[in-house]
Amino acid sequence: MSSSVPRLVVAAPSSGSGKTTVATGLMAAFAARGLAVSPHKVGPDYIDPGYHALATGRVGRNLDAFLCGPELVGPLFLHGARGCDIAVVEGVMGLYDGAAGEGELASTAHVAKLLRAPVVLVVDASSQSRSVAALVHGFVSWDPEVRVGGVILNKVASDRHEVMLREALEQTGVPVLGVLRRAPQVDTPSRHLGLVPVAERRAEAVEAVAAMAAQVSDGCDLDALVGLARSAGALSGAAWDAAEAVASSPPPPLPSPKLSASLEQGGPPSSSRGSAPSTPPGGSAPWTPDRPERPRPQTPDGLVVAVAGGEAFTFSYAEHTELLTAAGADVVPFDPLRDEELPEGTRGLVIGGGFPEVYAAELSANEPLRKAVADLAQSGAPVAAECAGLLYLCRELDGLPMCGVLDAGARMTERLTLGYRDAVAVGDSVLAAAGTRMRGHEFHRTAVEPGAGAEPAWGLRTPQRRVEGFVRRGVHASYLHTHWAAEPGVARRFVERCRTS
């Protein structure tokens, strides 16, 4: 099976060059032409996809070759692009910047090659003229497998400046597909972790996206860009499907011994991402996809899994909800800033990432919901919390009372913790069996003390060996963001624990 969805990858020599403005503007401009646009973002970033969704009316999706593995990039792309006329993929950092120490892995260039997609290079031309040709030539020639199909010049000062840039670029043979002048109205506010999410500034975000669309429409050759997108090579293989992923995931393994001692003695042997031990304790045979006990995904039967949302909890991969639904859950969103009760019939709770530190006073003031969350956790029901969710479950955040599920305090810090992580489940939990290996991402300016409970959630091997997070009864709380498409058994295990708890 092959697919040839027209597609472009929007890249740049470095962060701050204007990728988000151009990518979001292109998405909105194409949508204004009546095209169904599929929006994507390279890497783990949750914030840019919110602007992409606003521009296109479709869920923004991430393509991360580190978190999910290179083999899932194409299928996840095809899943998101179903029924679309064109796809726009916004890159991450500079074109060739990937996971630290891993070569090209997870870079924009890597994803472009996996998607067989042409690249549009956005260049900040504000402080150069003829040198732009050397810069573009270097990016074009660095990796012959990356096809740079055109350049969009950003922050051009004047007509004269534009002429100088175009003349220089004629020598490279790379066409100029757009020229954008300085336009402060398209700027979007930032704070300690990047852009302010769409959910926190809906009206202003709508205006910003409209301004990006207008600037791109006025300054870019949209017809040429559509033509370039149509030159993308065909992709082989099928689109990712949540129901199929859940159905083919291994059943929850038998309980395994905890790995704390192993980690202290140098850690478990290296293994593939998202895998549990091939032979469960007790000597049973390894799981294989065609074993007869493999169940089909269950249909929702009123088993409610509540998922936190609203302004304070905006970070979640779309595939998580899809996998929970495929595993049989009735996924119901709620807003911890406004709702005083959990959704009726809640059997499990998922609290993803976001900015509780910005809304600490409001979250603390919602005492009825804090008590409901604490009561649910005390009952033994499954609770999965990542980063922001971890902070919310703590005893306090910056001195303000939170849910008190964990005997730990959280506070804002000046230090940015950022990067990919290799992780192994230290013990059994509602998300994973002991020994399950996954890859994750940390991104925060907060600290939790202590950093790990008596039963840690994960043992991390990078950037230094340590244990992290908390497992307590049905609670799994950690700073680590993971992508469940890499290990769909996580969703299946969580829902089955909801059903039996």
Side-chain angles (χ1 to χ4, degrees), residues 383-417:
V383 178
E386 286 188 354
C387 200
L390 165 66
L391 305 184
Y392 186 53
L393 295 185
C394 284
R395 182 181 60 252
E396 63 180 21
L397 172 56
D398 285 337
L400 296 170
M402 290 292 127
C403 295
V405 172
L406 306 174
D407 187 17
R411 58 182 174 81
M412 281 288 293
T413 70
E414 294 297 319
R415 180 175 178 268
L416 174 63
T417 300

PDB file of all heavy atoms in Angstrom, residues 383-417:
ATOM      1  N   VAL A 383      -4.456   6.184  38.368  1.00  0.00           N
ATOM      2  CA  VAL A 383      -4.221   7.610  38.135  1.00  0.00           C
ATOM      3  C   VAL A 383      -2.864   7.739  37.451  1.00  0.00           C
ATOM      4  O   VAL A 383      -1.845   7.310  38.003  1.00  0.00           O
ATOM      5  CB  VAL A 383      -4.233   8.422  39.448  1.00  0.00           C
ATOM      6  CG1 VAL A 383      -3.927   9.893  39.159  1.00  0.00           C
ATOM      7  CG2 VAL A 383      -5.569   8.279  40.169  1.00  0.00           C
ATOM      8  N   ALA A 384      -2.843   8.313  36.246  1.00  0.00           N
ATOM      9  CA  ALA A 384      -1.593   8.534  35.511  1.00  0.00           C
ATOM     10  C   ALA A 384      -1.352  10.029  35.410  1.00  0.00           C
ATOM     11  O   ALA A 384      -2.198  10.761  34.885  1.00  0.00           O
ATOM     12  CB  ALA A 384      -1.668   7.909  34.118  1.00  0.00           C
ATOM     13  N   ALA A 385      -0.208  10.484  35.904  1.00  0.00           N
ATOM     14  CA  ALA A 385       0.090  11.910  35.937  1.00  0.00           C
ATOM     15  C   ALA A 385       1.472  12.166  35.359  1.00  0.00           C
ATOM     16  O   ALA A 385       2.445  11.515  35.759  1.00  0.00           O
ATOM     17  CB  ALA A 385       0.014  12.445  37.367  1.00  0.00           C
ATOM     18  N   GLU A 386       1.558  13.096  34.417  1.00  0.00           N
ATOM     19  CA  GLU A 386       2.831  13.468  33.795  1.00  0.00           C
ATOM     20  C   GLU A 386       3.119  14.939  34.029  1.00  0.00           C
ATOM     21  O   GLU A 386       2.295  15.803  33.692  1.00  0.00           O
ATOM     22  CB  GLU A 386       2.791  13.220  32.287  1.00  0.00           C
ATOM     23  CG  GLU A 386       2.881  11.773  31.881  1.00  0.00           C
ATOM     24  CD  GLU A 386       3.023  11.595  30.372  1.00  0.00           C
ATOM     25  OE1 GLU A 386       2.935  12.597  29.621  1.00  0.00           O
ATOM     26  OE2 GLU A 386       3.222  10.459  29.947  1.00  0.00           O
ATOM     27  N   CYS A 387       4.269  15.230  34.592  1.00  0.00           N
ATOM     28  CA  CYS A 387       4.792  16.591  34.736  1.00  0.00           C
ATOM     29  C   CYS A 387       3.806  17.501  35.469  1.00  0.00           C
ATOM     30  O   CYS A 387       3.788  17.518  36.691  1.00  0.00           O
ATOM     31  CB  CYS A 387       5.179  17.150  33.362  1.00  0.00           C
ATOM     32  SG  CYS A 387       6.334  18.541  33.455  1.00  0.00           S
ATOM     33  N   ALA A 388       2.968  18.235  34.761  1.00  0.00           N
ATOM     34  CA  ALA A 388       1.992  19.098  35.426  1.00  0.00           C
ATOM     35  C   ALA A 388       1.101  18.281  36.349  1.00  0.00           C
ATOM     36  O   ALA A 388       0.749  18.719  37.457  1.00  0.00           O
ATOM     37  CB  ALA A 388       1.157  19.837  34.384  1.00  0.00           C
ATOM     38  N   GLY A 389       0.712  17.095  35.891  1.00  0.00           N
ATOM     39  CA  GLY A 389      -0.102  16.226  36.727  1.00  0.00           C
ATOM     40  C   GLY A 389       0.617  15.824  37.995  1.00  0.00           C
ATOM     41  O   GLY A 389       0.010  15.723  39.076  1.00  0.00           O
ATOM     42  N   LEU A 390       1.927  15.577  37.894  1.00  0.00           N
ATOM     43  CA  LEU A 390       2.736  15.272  39.068  1.00  0.00           C
ATOM     44  C   LEU A 390       2.658  16.414  40.083  1.00  0.00           C
ATOM     45  O   LEU A 390       2.459  16.189  41.278  1.00  0.00           O
ATOM     46  CB  LEU A 390       4.182  15.030  38.638  1.00  0.00           C
ATOM     47  CG  LEU A 390       5.260  15.040  39.726  1.00  0.00           C
ATOM     48  CD1 LEU A 390       5.078  13.864  40.679  1.00  0.00           C
ATOM     49  CD2 LEU A 390       6.654  14.986  39.092  1.00  0.00           C
ATOM     50  N   LEU A 391       2.814  17.641  39.613  1.00  0.00           N
ATOM     51  CA  LEU A 391       2.767  18.802  40.504  1.00  0.00           C
ATOM     52  C   LEU A 391       1.413  18.907  41.195  1.00  0.00           C
ATOM     53  O   LEU A 391       1.323  19.222  42.383  1.00  0.00           O
ATOM     54  CB  LEU A 391       3.046  20.090  39.725  1.00  0.00           C
ATOM     55  CG  LEU A 391       4.334  20.166  38.908  1.00  0.00           C
ATOM     56  CD1 LEU A 391       4.483  21.556  38.294  1.00  0.00           C
ATOM     57  CD2 LEU A 391       5.553  19.834  39.749  1.00  0.00           C
ATOM     58  N   TYR A 392       0.348  18.654  40.446  1.00  0.00           N
ATOM     59  CA  TYR A 392      -1.013  18.762  40.980  1.00  0.00           C
ATOM     60  C   TYR A 392      -1.266  17.726  42.070  1.00  0.00           C
ATOM     61  O   TYR A 392      -2.014  17.973  43.022  1.00  0.00           O
ATOM     62  CB  TYR A 392      -2.004  18.603  39.838  1.00  0.00           C
ATOM     63  CG  TYR A 392      -3.450  18.838  40.199  1.00  0.00           C
ATOM     64  CD1 TYR A 392      -3.865  20.005  40.847  1.00  0.00           C
ATOM     65  CD2 TYR A 392      -4.422  17.902  39.864  1.00  0.00           C
ATOM     66  CE1 TYR A 392      -5.196  20.225  41.152  1.00  0.00           C
ATOM     67  CE2 TYR A 392      -5.762  18.109  40.159  1.00  0.00           C
ATOM     68  CZ  TYR A 392      -6.149  19.274  40.797  1.00  0.00           C
ATOM     69  OH  TYR A 392      -7.487  19.489  41.087  1.00  0.00           O
ATOM     70  N   LEU A 393      -0.643  16.558  41.955  1.00  0.00           N
ATOM     71  CA  LEU A 393      -0.842  15.510  42.956  1.00  0.00           C
ATOM     72  C   LEU A 393      -0.007  15.712  44.209  1.00  0.00           C
ATOM     73  O   LEU A 393      -0.226  15.035  45.221  1.00  0.00           O
ATOM     74  CB  LEU A 393      -0.515  14.143  42.361  1.00  0.00           C
ATOM     75  CG  LEU A 393      -1.404  13.642  41.219  1.00  0.00           C
ATOM     76  CD1 LEU A 393      -1.005  12.217  40.843  1.00  0.00           C
ATOM     77  CD2 LEU A 393      -2.883  13.706  41.570  1.00  0.00           C
ATOM     78  N   CYS A 394       0.935  16.649  44.166  1.00  0.00           N
ATOM     79  CA  CYS A 394       1.802  16.875  45.322  1.00  0.00           C
ATOM     80  C   CYS A 394       1.033  17.476  46.505  1.00  0.00           C
ATOM     81  O   CYS A 394      -0.108  17.911  46.385  1.00  0.00           O
ATOM     82  CB  CYS A 394       2.950  17.804  44.941  1.00  0.00           C
ATOM     83  SG  CYS A 394       4.250  17.004  43.980  1.00  0.00           S
ATOM     84  N   ARG A 395       1.706  17.502  47.624  1.00  0.00           N
ATOM     85  CA  ARG A 395       1.132  18.092  48.826  1.00  0.00           C
ATOM     86  C   ARG A 395       0.913  19.594  48.653  1.00  0.00           C
ATOM     87  O   ARG A 395      -0.096  20.156  49.091  1.00  0.00           O
ATOM     88  CB  ARG A 395       2.066  17.818  50.016  1.00  0.00           C
ATOM     89  CG  ARG A 395       1.590  18.323  51.359  1.00  0.00           C
ATOM     90  CD  ARG A 395       2.613  18.002  52.434  1.00  0.00           C
ATOM     91  NE  ARG A 395       3.921  18.621  52.165  1.00  0.00           N
ATOM     92  CZ  ARG A 395       4.987  17.952  51.780  1.00  0.00           C
ATOM     93  NH1 ARG A 395       4.938  16.640  51.598  1.00  0.00           N
ATOM     94  NH2 ARG A 395       6.145  18.579  51.560  1.00  0.00           N
ATOM     95  N   GLU A 396       1.891  20.244  47.988  1.00  0.00           N
ATOM     96  CA  GLU A 396       1.798  21.688  47.778  1.00  0.00           C
ATOM     97  C   GLU A 396       2.600  22.081  46.553  1.00  0.00           C
ATOM     98  O   GLU A 396       3.515  21.371  46.129  1.00  0.00           O
ATOM     99  CB  GLU A 396       2.300  22.452  49.001  1.00  0.00           C
ATOM    100  CG  GLU A 396       3.778  22.212  49.303  1.00  0.00           C
ATOM    101  CD  GLU A 396       4.268  22.974  50.514  1.00  0.00           C
ATOM    102  OE1 GLU A 396       3.420  23.358  51.340  1.00  0.00           O
ATOM    103  OE2 GLU A 396       5.490  23.192  50.617  1.00  0.00           O
ATOM    104  N   LEU A 397       2.236  23.225  45.978  1.00  0.00           N
ATOM    105  CA  LEU A 397       2.953  23.812  44.851  1.00  0.00           C
ATOM    106  C   LEU A 397       3.198  25.276  45.166  1.00  0.00           C
ATOM    107  O   LEU A 397       2.235  26.053  45.327  1.00  0.00           O
ATOM    108  CB  LEU A 397       2.141  23.664  43.556  1.00  0.00           C
ATOM    109  CG  LEU A 397       2.668  24.386  42.311  1.00  0.00           C
ATOM    110  CD1 LEU A 397       4.099  23.974  41.997  1.00  0.00           C
ATOM    111  CD2 LEU A 397       1.765  24.124  41.108  1.00  0.00           C
ATOM    112  N   ASP A 398       4.453  25.646  45.287  1.00  0.00           N
ATOM    113  CA  ASP A 398       4.829  27.012  45.681  1.00  0.00           C
ATOM    114  C   ASP A 398       4.083  27.453  46.939  1.00  0.00           C
ATOM    115  O   ASP A 398       3.604  28.584  47.046  1.00  0.00           O
ATOM    116  CB  ASP A 398       4.564  27.987  44.529  1.00  0.00           C
ATOM    117  CG  ASP A 398       5.603  27.873  43.431  1.00  0.00           C
ATOM    118  OD1 ASP A 398       6.720  27.405  43.708  1.00  0.00           O
ATOM    119  OD2 ASP A 398       5.295  28.232  42.279  1.00  0.00           O
ATOM    120  N   GLY A 399       3.963  26.536  47.898  1.00  0.00           N
ATOM    121  CA  GLY A 399       3.364  26.840  49.186  1.00  0.00           C
ATOM    122  C   GLY A 399       1.856  26.756  49.223  1.00  0.00           C
ATOM    123  O   GLY A 399       1.262  26.911  50.305  1.00  0.00           O
ATOM    124  N   LEU A 400       1.208  26.499  48.106  1.00  0.00           N
ATOM    125  CA  LEU A 400      -0.248  26.417  48.052  1.00  0.00           C
ATOM    126  C   LEU A 400      -0.689  24.956  48.055  1.00  0.00           C
ATOM    127  O   LEU A 400      -0.093  24.130  47.359  1.00  0.00           O
ATOM    128  CB  LEU A 400      -0.773  27.101  46.799  1.00  0.00           C
ATOM    129  CG  LEU A 400      -0.517  28.607  46.718  1.00  0.00           C
ATOM    130  CD1 LEU A 400      -0.866  29.148  45.328  1.00  0.00           C
ATOM    131  CD2 LEU A 400      -1.334  29.338  47.788  1.00  0.00           C
ATOM    132  N   PRO A 401      -1.723  24.626  48.832  1.00  0.00           N
ATOM    133  CA  PRO A 401      -2.163  23.235  48.915  1.00  0.00           C
ATOM    134  C   PRO A 401      -2.628  22.690  47.567  1.00  0.00           C
ATOM    135  O   PRO A 401      -3.352  23.361  46.831  1.00  0.00           O
ATOM    136  CB  PRO A 401      -3.333  23.283  49.906  1.00  0.00           C
ATOM    137  CG  PRO A 401      -3.145  24.547  50.658  1.00  0.00           C
ATOM    138  CD  PRO A 401      -2.506  25.520  49.720  1.00  0.00           C
ATOM    139  N   MET A 402      -2.178  21.473  47.242  1.00  0.00           N
ATOM    140  CA  MET A 402      -2.663  20.770  46.055  1.00  0.00           C
ATOM    141  C   MET A 402      -3.439  19.530  46.528  1.00  0.00           C
ATOM    142  O   MET A 402      -4.043  19.556  47.574  1.00  0.00           O
ATOM    143  CB  MET A 402      -1.490  20.418  45.146  1.00  0.00           C
ATOM    144  CG  MET A 402      -0.858  21.632  44.467  1.00  0.00           C
ATOM    145  SD  MET A 402      -1.927  22.420  43.247  1.00  0.00           S
ATOM    146  CE  MET A 402      -1.891  24.125  43.811  1.00  0.00           C
ATOM    147  N   CYS A 403      -3.404  18.453  45.778  1.00  0.00           N
ATOM    148  CA  CYS A 403      -4.267  17.315  46.088  1.00  0.00           C
ATOM    149  C   CYS A 403      -3.770  16.476  47.263  1.00  0.00           C
ATOM    150  O   CYS A 403      -4.559  15.761  47.890  1.00  0.00           O
ATOM    151  CB  CYS A 403      -4.426  16.432  44.859  1.00  0.00           C
ATOM    152  SG  CYS A 403      -5.286  17.243  43.484  1.00  0.00           S
ATOM    153  N   GLY A 404      -2.481  16.504  47.535  1.00  0.00           N
ATOM    154  CA  GLY A 404      -1.953  15.755  48.670  1.00  0.00           C
ATOM    155  C   GLY A 404      -1.924  14.260  48.459  1.00  0.00           C
ATOM    156  O   GLY A 404      -1.815  13.498  49.427  1.00  0.00           O
ATOM    157  N   VAL A 405      -1.987  13.815  47.231  1.00  0.00           N
ATOM    158  CA  VAL A 405      -1.895  12.380  46.949  1.00  0.00           C
ATOM    159  C   VAL A 405      -0.476  11.884  47.214  1.00  0.00           C
ATOM    160  O   VAL A 405      -0.282  10.756  47.676  1.00  0.00           O
ATOM    161  CB  VAL A 405      -2.313  12.105  45.486  1.00  0.00           C
ATOM    162  CG1 VAL A 405      -2.049  10.657  45.102  1.00  0.00           C
ATOM    163  CG2 VAL A 405      -3.774  12.473  45.272  1.00  0.00           C
ATOM    164  N   LEU A 406       0.507  12.718  46.914  1.00  0.00           N
ATOM    165  CA  LEU A 406       1.909  12.381  47.112  1.00  0.00           C
ATOM    166  C   LEU A 406       2.476  13.213  48.259  1.00  0.00           C
ATOM    167  O   LEU A 406       2.205  14.417  48.358  1.00  0.00           O
ATOM    168  CB  LEU A 406       2.712  12.667  45.837  1.00  0.00           C
ATOM    169  CG  LEU A 406       2.211  12.017  44.555  1.00  0.00           C
ATOM    170  CD1 LEU A 406       3.016  12.518  43.366  1.00  0.00           C
ATOM    171  CD2 LEU A 406       2.292  10.496  44.654  1.00  0.00           C
ATOM    172  N   ASP A 407       3.279  12.591  49.096  1.00  0.00           N
ATOM    173  CA  ASP A 407       3.933  13.314  50.193  1.00  0.00           C
ATOM    174  C   ASP A 407       5.193  13.976  49.651  1.00  0.00           C
ATOM    175  O   ASP A 407       6.316  13.565  49.930  1.00  0.00           O
ATOM    176  CB  ASP A 407       4.263  12.359  51.329  1.00  0.00           C
ATOM    177  CG  ASP A 407       4.780  13.105  52.564  1.00  0.00           C
ATOM    178  OD1 ASP A 407       4.575  14.330  52.635  1.00  0.00           O
ATOM    179  OD2 ASP A 407       5.381  12.447  53.437  1.00  0.00           O
ATOM    180  N   ALA A 408       4.981  15.004  48.845  1.00  0.00           N
ATOM    181  CA  ALA A 408       6.089  15.705  48.204  1.00  0.00           C
ATOM    182  C   ALA A 408       5.661  17.149  47.963  1.00  0.00           C
ATOM    183  O   ALA A 408       4.472  17.454  47.798  1.00  0.00           O
ATOM    184  CB  ALA A 408       6.463  15.042  46.877  1.00  0.00           C
ATOM    185  N   GLY A 409       6.635  18.035  47.952  1.00  0.00           N
ATOM    186  CA  GLY A 409       6.373  19.441  47.674  1.00  0.00           C
ATOM    187  C   GLY A 409       6.979  19.846  46.338  1.00  0.00           C
ATOM    188  O   GLY A 409       8.041  19.342  45.947  1.00  0.00           O
ATOM    189  N   ALA A 410       6.299  20.752  45.631  1.00  0.00           N
ATOM    190  CA  ALA A 410       6.762  21.215  44.323  1.00  0.00           C
ATOM    191  C   ALA A 410       6.938  22.720  44.354  1.00  0.00           C
ATOM    192  O   ALA A 410       6.202  23.436  45.041  1.00  0.00           O
ATOM    193  CB  ALA A 410       5.768  20.818  43.235  1.00  0.00           C
ATOM    194  N   ARG A 411       7.905  23.195  43.580  1.00  0.00           N
ATOM    195  CA  ARG A 411       8.149  24.637  43.524  1.00  0.00           C
ATOM    196  C   ARG A 411       8.765  25.005  42.183  1.00  0.00           C
ATOM    197  O   ARG A 411       9.391  24.194  41.507  1.00  0.00           O
ATOM    198  CB  ARG A 411       9.091  25.062  44.650  1.00  0.00           C
ATOM    199  CG  ARG A 411      10.430  24.340  44.617  1.00  0.00           C
ATOM    200  CD  ARG A 411      11.348  24.729  45.766  1.00  0.00           C
ATOM    201  NE  ARG A 411      12.550  23.918  45.780  1.00  0.00           N
ATOM    202  CZ  ARG A 411      13.620  24.127  45.005  1.00  0.00           C
ATOM    203  NH1 ARG A 411      13.623  25.163  44.159  1.00  0.00           N
ATOM    204  NH2 ARG A 411      14.679  23.340  45.075  1.00  0.00           N
ATOM    205  N   MET A 412       8.563  26.265  41.799  1.00  0.00           N
ATOM    206  CA  MET A 412       9.203  26.806  40.608  1.00  0.00           C
ATOM    207  C   MET A 412      10.690  27.004  40.875  1.00  0.00           C
ATOM    208  O   MET A 412      11.097  27.304  42.000  1.00  0.00           O
ATOM    209  CB  MET A 412       8.585  28.143  40.236  1.00  0.00           C
ATOM    210  CG  MET A 412       7.266  28.055  39.505  1.00  0.00           C
ATOM    211  SD  MET A 412       7.462  27.470  37.802  1.00  0.00           S
ATOM    212  CE  MET A 412       8.359  28.843  37.059  1.00  0.00           C
ATOM    213  N   THR A 413      11.502  26.866  39.828  1.00  0.00           N
ATOM    214  CA  THR A 413      12.935  27.112  39.926  1.00  0.00           C
ATOM    215  C   THR A 413      13.380  27.919  38.704  1.00  0.00           C
ATOM    216  O   THR A 413      12.631  28.088  37.745  1.00  0.00           O
ATOM    217  CB  THR A 413      13.742  25.798  39.963  1.00  0.00           C
ATOM    218  OG1 THR A 413      13.680  25.170  38.674  1.00  0.00           O
ATOM    219  CG2 THR A 413      13.197  24.846  41.013  1.00  0.00           C
ATOM    220  N   GLU A 414      14.617  28.391  38.736  1.00  0.00           N
ATOM    221  CA  GLU A 414      15.198  29.085  37.586  1.00  0.00           C
ATOM    222  C   GLU A 414      15.785  28.104  36.575  1.00  0.00           C
ATOM    223  O   GLU A 414      16.019  28.460  35.424  1.00  0.00           O
ATOM    224  CB  GLU A 414      16.307  30.044  38.060  1.00  0.00           C
ATOM    225  CG  GLU A 414      15.800  31.197  38.906  1.00  0.00           C
ATOM    226  CD  GLU A 414      14.857  32.106  38.129  1.00  0.00           C
ATOM    227  OE1 GLU A 414      15.138  32.384  36.935  1.00  0.00           O
ATOM    228  OE2 GLU A 414      13.836  32.522  38.696  1.00  0.00           O
ATOM    229  N   ARG A 415      16.009  26.883  36.994  1.00  0.00           N
ATOM    230  CA  ARG A 415      16.711  25.900  36.167  1.00  0.00           C
ATOM    231  C   ARG A 415      15.762  25.217  35.187  1.00  0.00           C
ATOM    232  O   ARG A 415      14.719  24.714  35.566  1.00  0.00           O
ATOM    233  CB  ARG A 415      17.366  24.853  37.060  1.00  0.00           C
ATOM    234  CG  ARG A 415      18.137  23.773  36.309  1.00  0.00           C
ATOM    235  CD  ARG A 415      18.852  22.870  37.305  1.00  0.00           C
ATOM    236  NE  ARG A 415      19.564  21.784  36.630  1.00  0.00           N
ATOM    237  CZ  ARG A 415      19.037  20.590  36.399  1.00  0.00           C
ATOM    238  NH1 ARG A 415      17.790  20.338  36.794  1.00  0.00           N
ATOM    239  NH2 ARG A 415      19.730  19.659  35.782  1.00  0.00           N
ATOM    240  N   LEU A 416      16.163  25.218  33.918  1.00  0.00           N
ATOM    241  CA  LEU A 416      15.398  24.516  32.897  1.00  0.00           C
ATOM    242  C   LEU A 416      15.891  23.074  32.792  1.00  0.00           C
ATOM    243  O   LEU A 416      17.075  22.822  32.574  1.00  0.00           O
ATOM    244  CB  LEU A 416      15.545  25.203  31.537  1.00  0.00           C
ATOM    245  CG  LEU A 416      14.894  24.476  30.344  1.00  0.00           C
ATOM    246  CD1 LEU A 416      13.390  24.386  30.519  1.00  0.00           C
ATOM    247  CD2 LEU A 416      15.252  25.172  29.035  1.00  0.00           C
ATOM    248  N   THR A 417      14.978  22.140  32.960  1.00  0.00           N
ATOM    249  CA  THR A 417      15.269  20.724  32.737  1.00  0.00           C
ATOM    250  C   THR A 417      14.647  20.337  31.408  1.00  0.00           C
ATOM    251  O   THR A 417      13.425  20.441  31.232  1.00  0.00           O
ATOM    252  CB  THR A 417      14.697  19.859  33.868  1.00  0.00           C
ATOM    253  OG1 THR A 417      15.277  20.253  35.109  1.00  0.00           O
ATOM    254  CG2 THR A 417      14.987  18.387  33.617  1.00  0.00           C
TER     255      THR A 417
END
